[in-house]
Amino acid sequence: MADCLFCKIIAGDIPSTKVYEDETILAFRDIAPQAPTHILVIPKAHIPSVDGITAENSAVVAHIFQVIPQIAAAEGLTGGYRVVSNCGADAGQTVHHLHFHILGGKQLALEMA
Ligand code: 5GP
Ligand code: ZN
């Protein structure tokens, strides 16, 4: 997707601080961290949001969730962490390329809404 911010990060056209990369996914630090550790994990394939996950493309989502614990361990998040994906306007999604936030490194607020 030519006009997608995260596709540009995948392509290397916009710099990012990468923490994990393989053939199908990329993880990098959020530019405006909301916790001491704030990482975004994305598929390299452009999927607009959770609403775009299908039987055909969901293997990459399973892979993301297999890698998340490795990233959390590498970040030293032994006390726990939160995984969040905002989908659509009511959730405040601002980048329309599927991404999972990993948040940790402090006691996180309990409010979910
Ligand atoms: P959303 O609000 O869509 O769930 O999350 C988008 C996230 O992308 C936000 O936390 C925002 O700080 C982050 N973000 C936006 N632009 C950039 C960027 O250019 N680089 C990085 N690393 N993160 C970004
Ligand atoms: Zn994209």
Side-chain angles (χ1 to χ4, degrees):
M1 285 274 290
D3 61 348
C4 171
L5 177 68
F6 287 174
C7 283
K8 288 177 182 168
I9 285 177
I10 291 162
D13 295 339
I14 293 175
S16 67
T17 305
K18 297 177 185 178
V19 298
Y20 177 90
E21 182 171 19
D22 64 26
E23 284 187 5
T24 59
I25 71 174
L26 175 66
F28 54 96
R29 297 195 189 283
D30 196 291
I31 203 168
Q34 296 176 36
T37 296
H38 187 170
I39 290 166
L40 303 172
V41 192
I42 66 175
K44 289 188 173 177
H46 181 87
I47 300 171
S49 73
V50 169
D51 272 346
I53 299 172
T54 66
E56 287 69 37
N57 67 21
S58 61
V60 73
V61 179
H63 181 55
I64 284 172
F65 275 83
Q66 285 179 325
V67 169
I68 283 173
Q70 298 174 31
I71 295 171
E75 293 290 318
L77 301 180
T78 53
Y81 57 93
R82 181 171 291 155
V83 180
V84 176
S85 188
N86 296 315
C87 178
D90 281 0
Q93 183 181 4
T94 58
V95 180
H96 296 276
H97 180 126
L98 179 64
H99 53 281
F100 296 91
H101 300 255
I102 303 174
L103 297 152
K106 71 172 184 180
Q107 182 69 54
L108 299 165
L110 290 176
E111 293 78 21
M112 293 294 286

